[in-house]
């Protein structure tokens, strides 16, 4: 497959979209995207598109690929940046963590995570460094086992030989439901120093509304996996619920938490997360669910997104798209979108799995062509360095 040249196009209003989504376009194994052109492929609500204020970013932005940081990665999923600038990346299907030299692109396998049981959308997923990494050298990972999804931490010891640098996993949270699909998997430490995790409902839609289940939720916990003061329920790590499959977590400059989520046949979502919020699944998909559900800030036909990781840079949320094979920019004005979402890199690099802030106006972007649903080319998968505005 020869990928087309990089493009940048704006999205239009939601009212133009209501008749434009293809039936049956769920986020399962996907072929080529069949949605409308990107200008009509995403929307922010009319109430969320005021004239940009002085604090809002420009309505339209830009993306430039600066360099290819790494090549030859297999089923890459999670990404974590080390203090010196090198990167750690997980392999979903191989269950390994690899260090990427940010200057040379050299790949060094740190080791394999014991207990990982890859299958379908499960395996070794999100990575996060301890907030005290300089002192404790702990790497956190979200992964699928034979019985559940769980979060564990491991000592990263650079002094040991390559392939033996990860210590034994110390499980901090277990019994997150697992399935062939919808395993969630993104983890991140928030500005409060707490650990957040996005989970999926594994295809069992009832789990999303079951407050006693860890499936279909965003979780908030201490670095030791315990419930946090200020959670909706004092004895629970559940922070928000009614989610189908949370794939991206990021905070803006105002310390607000944003999350990207797979829809089913109609709408993918970008949500502003509030503690105790009910985001509607399976009763609601996209806006207009009523019944006390929280509407998304922006939504997309599933063929144009199938969102995975998100990052915040230059006042906008940047959202990687798998089936959509594009990078979405959603400019923010506080708790709302200040302009319609804008698409970049459409089809240029295939499926896009993870995007992470690299400081200032730079992002790292991880492709996902070797995840069994892409069309790999020589050199896939890759990590790209972008400059954005």
């Amino acid at each position: 497959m020869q990928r087309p040249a990089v493009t940048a196009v704006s999205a239009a209003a939601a009212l133009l979209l209501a008749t434009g989504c293809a039936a049956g376009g769920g986020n399962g194994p996907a072929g080529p995207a069949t949605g409308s052109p990107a200008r009509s492929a995403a929307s922010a609500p009319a109430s969320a598109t005021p004239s940009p204020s002085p604090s809002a970013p420009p309505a339209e932005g830009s993306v430039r690929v600066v360099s290819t940081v790494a090549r030859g990665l297999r089923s890459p999923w999670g990404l974590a940046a080390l203090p010196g600038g090198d990167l750690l990346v997980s392999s979903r299907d191989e269950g390994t963590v690899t260090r990427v030299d940010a200057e040379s692109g050299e790949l060094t396998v740190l080791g394999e995570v014991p207990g990982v049981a890859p299958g379908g959308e499960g395996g070794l997923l999100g990575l996060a460094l301890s907030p005290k990494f300089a002192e404790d050298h702990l790497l956190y990972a979200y992964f699928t086992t034979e019985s559940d999804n769980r979060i564990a931490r491991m000592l990263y010891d650079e002094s040991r030989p390559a392939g033996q640098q990860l210590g034994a996993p110390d499980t901090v949270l277990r019994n997150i439901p697992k399935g062939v699909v919808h395993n969630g998997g993104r983890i991140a430490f928030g500005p409060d120093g707490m650990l957040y995790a996005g989970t999926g409902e594994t295809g069992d839609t009832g789990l999303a509304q079951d407050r006693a289940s860890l499936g279909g939720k965003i979780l908030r916990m201490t670095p030791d996996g315990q419930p946090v003061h200020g959670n909706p329920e004092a004895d629970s790590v559940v922070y928000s619920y009614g989610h189908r499959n949370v794939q991206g977590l990021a905070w803006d400059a105002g310390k607000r938490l944003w999350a990207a989520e797979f829809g089913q046949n109609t709408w993918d979502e970008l949500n502003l997360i509030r503690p105790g919020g009910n985001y509607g699944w399976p009763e609601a998909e996209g806006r207009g669910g009523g019944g006390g559900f929280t509407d998304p800030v922006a939504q997309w036909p599933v063929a144009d997104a199938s969102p995975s990781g998100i990052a915040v840079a230059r006042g906008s949320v940047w959202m990687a798209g798998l089936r959509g094979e594009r990078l979405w920019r959603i400019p923010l004005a506080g708790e709302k979108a200040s302009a319609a979402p804008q698409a970049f890199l459409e089809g240029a690099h295939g499926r896009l799995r993870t995007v992470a802030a690299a400081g200032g106006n730079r992002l790292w972007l991880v492709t996902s062509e070797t995840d069994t649903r892409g069309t790999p080319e020589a050199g896939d998968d890759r990590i790209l360095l972008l400059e954005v505005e």
Side-chain angles (χ1 to χ4, degrees):
M1 174 184 70
Q2 184 174 358
R3 298 184 184 123
V6 174
T7 60
V9 287
S10 296
L15 291 176
L16 298 178
L17 297 172
T19 60
C21 60
N27 289 333
T34 57
S36 306
R39 178 166 289 277
S40 61
S43 67
S47 62
T49 54
S51 298
S53 66
S55 61
E60 296 196 358
S62 64
V63 171
R64 183 174 75 89
V65 178
V66 176
S67 64
T68 299
V69 177
R71 293 177 171 85
L73 297 166
R74 307 302 299 173
S75 61
W77 212 99
L79 189 73
L82 292 167
D86 287 354
L87 303 172
L88 300 181
V89 59
S90 63
S91 170
R92 184 193 72 183
D93 297 339
E94 296 179 350
T96 56
V97 178
T98 296
R99 180 168 179 157
V100 178
D101 187 301
E103 296 296 325
S104 68
E106 180 182 359
L107 306 180
T108 303
V109 176
L110 306 188
E112 183 175 349
V113 178
V116 173
E121 295 175 0
L124 181 57
L125 304 174
L127 299 177
L129 298 184
S130 163
K132 299 179 179 179
F133 182 80
E135 304 167 17
D136 60 28
H137 304 287
L138 290 176
L139 173 66
Y140 285 71
Y142 183 118
F143 58 92
T144 311
T145 74
E146 294 289 351
S147 60
D148 64 359
N149 284 297
R150 62 183 59 177
I151 302 170
R153 55 190 176 190
M154 297 159 284
L155 180 66
Y156 171 29
D157 187 350
E158 294 183 56
S159 68
R160 296 181 61 83
Q164 304 176 35
Q165 295 179 347
L166 294 179
D170 171 24
T171 300
V172 299
L173 186 69
R174 64 180 74 239
N175 296 325
I176 301 170
K178 64 164 283 188
V180 176
V181 296
H182 304 176
N183 288 288
R186 198 69 62 180
I187 56 174
F189 280 95
D192 56 1
M194 298 298 108
L195 179 61
Y196 293 73
T199 73
E201 34 77 304
T202 72
D204 181 353
T205 59
L207 296 183
Q209 291 293 325
D210 180 356
R211 298 290 291 272
S213 171
L214 299 180
K217 308 296 190 296
I218 292 176
L219 311 177
R220 177 179 181 249
M221 67 200 83
T222 69
D224 296 323
Q226 299 301 309
V228 184
H229 176 73
N231 279 4
E233 297 181 15
D235 60 348
S236 173
V237 297
V238 171
Y239 193 64
S240 64
Y241 66 109
H243 299 288
R244 185 169 184 259
N245 191 24
V246 177
Q247 292 283 287
L249 299 171
W251 288 263
D252 64 22
K255 300 182 180 180
R256 291 173 286 255
L257 174 59
W258 299 84
E261 179 173 345
F262 276 114
Q264 185 176 33
N265 294 320
T266 311
W267 297 114
D268 292 325
E269 301 177 359
L270 177 70
N271 287 300
L272 175 62
I273 303 302
R274 303 183 189 280
N278 183 349
Y279 290 81
W281 182 254
E283 303 301 323
E285 181 181 356
R287 299 190 197 103
F293 301 140
T294 301
D295 279 348
V297 171
Q299 63 183 29
W300 294 259
V302 295
D304 297 342
S306 298
S308 191
I310 62 172
V312 175
R314 284 295 197 258
S316 296
V317 173
W318 300 84
M319 187 179 80
L322 290 164
R323 183 178 174 188
E325 297 189 357
R326 64 200 80 175
L327 180 68
W328 286 100
R329 173 187 184 264
I330 306 95
L332 301 178
E335 298 182 352
K336 299 179 180 180
S338 61
Q342 185 181 10
F344 294 92
L345 307 179
E346 186 176 350
H349 303 284
R351 294 163 58 82
L352 305 180
R353 172 68 66 181
T354 295
V355 59
N361 69 334
R362 293 194 164 196
L363 298 171
W364 288 294
L365 182 64
V366 182
T367 69
S368 191
E369 286 290 286
T370 60
D371 67 348
T372 75
R373 295 180 179 178
T375 308
E377 296 181 351
D380 284 336
D381 271 306
R382 308 163 193 260
I383 300 176
L384 308 175
L385 179 64
L386 311 179
E387 284 185 352
V388 302
E389 292 296 343

